[in-house]
């Protein structure tokens, strides 16, 4: 099983989606049926507990080298909003895994702002408040459990709305930020074993397939075009025969591609 870059990407398939109204709460039977239709399962929406365990395996994390200031802008289009939400959630996991109390508050507030834009603030607000309160007391174990409950709560909203496109974009945004973090760590302390963990052909195929089916309007934007092009390049760099690691230079190229995409996602420019 791959390290956090394999899992951190896709927590977002169940974390946030969009709506301009409060969705009715579906029954458990309805949720399971919708999950089946959307293909949401333990692979596409892994437990946050699993993600945090994977991050723990990377310790000690060079936090100052991989942290970024959480963007303060709220994107106006739903595509960039979904990608930004996933990226900020990934930032939150990094802060929790590194037990950085001072970084939890900006993440929590950004999530509330983005959740409002996505139309699910009612699902996120109570958990965000609890996370902030527990971070003040440095109750990291409790924060992990609160994040697990947050995922379950908001996934229910996603299932009720059946918004597959936005769910995948939130997932992709989280994965791209995770890829930047993980490839930065691998580049900073390169070993063939660490680099080999970036080889994920089935995952890249999954996202490339999702991107290919996105709304044509979004695909015509610079961001939409760069997403597909750069994902193809990441796949080229990381597609290797069995037992063949990525070189140190290739790891740096993957890091730079992920970093460039994340900067464009968080930018207010088209």
């Amino acid at each position: 099983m791959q390290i956090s870059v394999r899992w951190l990407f896709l927590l977002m398939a169940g974390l946030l989606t969009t709506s301009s109204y409060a969705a009715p709460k579906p029954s458990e039977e309805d949720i399971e049926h919708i999950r089946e239709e959307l293909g949401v399962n333990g692979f596409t929406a892994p437990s946050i507990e699993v993600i945090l365990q994977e991050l723990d395996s990377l310790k000690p994390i060079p936090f100052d080298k991989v942290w970024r200031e959480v963007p303060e802008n709220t994107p106006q289009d739903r595509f960039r909003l979904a990608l930004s939400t996933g990226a900020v959630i990934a930032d939150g996991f990094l802060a929790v895994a590194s037990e950085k109390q001072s970084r939890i508050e900006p993440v929590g507030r950004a999530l509330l702002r983005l959740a409002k834009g996505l139309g699910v603030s009612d699902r996120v607000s109570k958990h965000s408040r609890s996370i902030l309160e527990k971070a003040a007391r440095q109750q990291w174990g409790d924060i992990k459990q609160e994040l697990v409950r947050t995922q379950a709560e908001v996934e229910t909203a996603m299932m009720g709305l059946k918004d597959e496109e936005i769910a995948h974009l939130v997932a992709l945004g989280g994965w791209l930020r995770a890829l930047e973090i993980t490839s930065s760590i691998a580049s900073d302390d390169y070993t063939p074993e660490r680099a080999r963990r970036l080889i994920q052909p089935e995952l890249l195929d999954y996202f490339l397939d999702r991107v290919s089916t996105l709304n044509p309007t979004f695909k015509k934007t610079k961001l939409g075009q760069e997403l597909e092009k750069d994902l193809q390049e990441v796949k080229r760099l990381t597609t290797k025969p069995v037992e063949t690691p990525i070189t140190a230079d290739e790891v740096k190229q993957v890091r730079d591609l992920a970093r460039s995409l994340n900067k464009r996602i968080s930018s207010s420019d088209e």
Side-chain angles (χ1 to χ4, degrees), residues 67-92:
W67 178 254
R68 64 168 190 170
E69 293 303 316
V70 178
E72 297 182 357
N73 64 302
T74 303
Q76 297 303 304
D77 69 271
R78 65 195 291 265
F79 304 104
R80 194 186 297 266
L81 184 61
L83 288 162
S84 297
T85 299
V88 171
I89 294 171
D91 290 329

Side-chain angles (χ1 to χ4, degrees), residues 2-3 41 66 78 89 95 117 126 128-129 193 201 232 234-235 270:
Q2 310 294 347
I3 59 171
N41 50 52
V66 296
R78 65 195 291 265
I89 294 171
K126 63 179 180 180
S128 294
R129 286 195 300 269
E193 177 57 32
Q232 289 284 7
V234 170
K235 181 179 179 180
E270 165 33 40

Side-chain angles (χ1 to χ4, degrees), residues 188-253:
D188 184 62
D189 185 16
Y190 175 84
T191 67
E193 177 57 32
R194 283 189 168 207
R196 191 175 288 111
R197 292 166 177 167
L198 299 177
I199 300 176
Q200 310 165 48
E202 71 285 355
L203 178 56
L204 280 164
D205 285 342
Y206 173 86
F207 275 123
L208 281 166
D209 183 63
R210 299 287 81 77
V211 169
S212 70
T213 63
L214 290 175
N215 186 295
T217 301
F218 173 68
K219 291 180 66 176
K220 290 179 181 178
T221 66
K222 290 181 180 179
L223 176 57
Q225 292 172 1
E226 285 192 11
L227 270 176
E228 190 160 15
K229 176 177 67 69
D230 289 355
L231 284 175
Q232 289 284 7
E233 180 63 9
V234 170
K235 181 179 179 180
R236 185 190 70 80
L237 290 167
T238 59
T239 299
K240 301 287 183 178
V242 177
E243 301 303 321
T244 302
I246 309 173
T247 67
D249 183 62
E250 288 169 334
V251 171
K252 290 179 180 178
Q253 291 181 63

Side-chain angles (χ1 to χ4, degrees), residues 152-163:
E153 181 98 15
V154 184
E155 187 186 50
T156 299
M158 185 194 76
M159 294 300 98
L161 293 168
K162 301 178 68 173
D163 198 331

